[in-house]
Amino acid sequence: MNIQWYPGHMTKAKRAMKEDMKLIDLVIELVDARVPLSSRNPDIDDLGAGKARMVLLNKSDLADERQNARWAAWFEDKGIHVVKIDARNKGTLKQVQSVIREACKEKIERDRRRGILNRPIRTMVVGIPNVGKSTFINSFAGKACARTGNKPGVTKGNQWIRLNKTLELLDTPGILWPRFEDQQVGLKLALIGSINDQILNKDELACELIRFLKKRYPKVLPERFGLETEGKEAAFILEEIARVRACLLKGGDLDMSRAAALLLDDFRAGKLGRITLEEPENQKDKVG
């Protein structure tokens, strides 16, 4: 599968982000805990050069907990503050405020020496499409400040949100980068829903997921669908899923597209269990 998606509005969003970066003390980057590396926009490192950095491993409740711990250590080794969160669960956000202050302690101390007291920390919340930025902001603020939606591209422009006297957030649109040099990155982003589904071949995408699950989480498909996968090709397994879930067209033929969509939806919603698609020690880890 050759996956590329870079709508025109992302170029405009990147320019606005570059301009606003002058006002920022801290860059808070949300990544998807199931693909922490592939869901990082490499442009953010350039845009945020010289700024304090913080990574939120969002959707960590959907990811393999052993891998969550390893990824947290991986980011911390690079000098980036990290918190594992589920943006929909306020309880997982309790640590964020204190880590923000820890990440900005040099700025706070510098202000204190200059006699500047209580100047709010200005943070920019960044990330790729559909990674949960607006959901995080709304949960963190305790009110609906940003538009949300379970699809990429809901946030269209930058929006300042004042949380309290000590903290201001700038919500930004999700942006990708113009070209995926490694198609495995595009594949992983397609699997988690950060690429517009309308440009994808869901049948092929579902087969890629099946190959990965057979290799890395072999019990998942048998337990979820009650079928045997050993020695079977991905396309045949997808047909069996269609039969088990009665995905049928008029006349009784199998509706493979519906079965593929069902499997992908199950994965994205965590109904297949806690699954991580890449590991920190193998940055080019392949799906399948």
Side-chain angles (χ1 to χ4, degrees), residues 1-4 183-184 186-187 190 199-208:
M1 294 181 68
N2 185 15
I3 299 170
Q4 301 292 342
Q183 274 301 297
Q184 284 294 313
L187 173 58
I199 71 166
L200 300 172
N201 184 323
K202 283 194 172 183
D203 293 27
E204 288 186 28
L205 193 59
C207 284
E208 292 284 3

Side-chain angles (χ1 to χ4, degrees), residues 81-101:
H81 294 79
V82 60
V83 182
K84 295 178 289 183
I85 69 165
D86 166 11
R88 301 163 302 177
N89 182 350
K90 292 182 182 179
T92 67
L93 306 182
K94 293 178 180 178
Q95 190 183 354
V96 173
Q97 184 86 37
S98 61
V99 176
I100 287 174
R101 295 192 66 80

Side-chain angles (χ1 to χ4, degrees), residues 124-164:
M124 180 182 285
V125 182
V126 302
I128 65 170
N130 206 30
V131 79
K133 298 182 302 301
S134 297
T135 300
F136 159 70
I137 288 172
N138 290 341
S139 293
F140 195 44
K143 57 184 178 180
C145 303
R147 288 183 61 204
T148 63
N150 190 27
K151 61 180 180 179
V154 173
T155 301
K156 297 298 184 183
N158 292 3
Q159 176 188 3
W160 278 105
I161 298 163
R162 185 178 178 90
L163 265 66
N164 50 51

Side-chain angles (χ1 to χ4, degrees), residues 153-180:
V154 173
T155 301
K156 297 298 184 183
N158 292 3
Q159 176 188 3
W160 278 105
I161 298 163
R162 185 178 178 90
L163 265 66
N164 50 51
K165 293 180 179 180
T166 64
L167 183 62
E168 295 178 357
L169 301 179
L170 180 60
D171 186 18
T172 63
I175 61 170
L176 294 168
W177 49 110
R179 183 171 181 80
F180 303 134

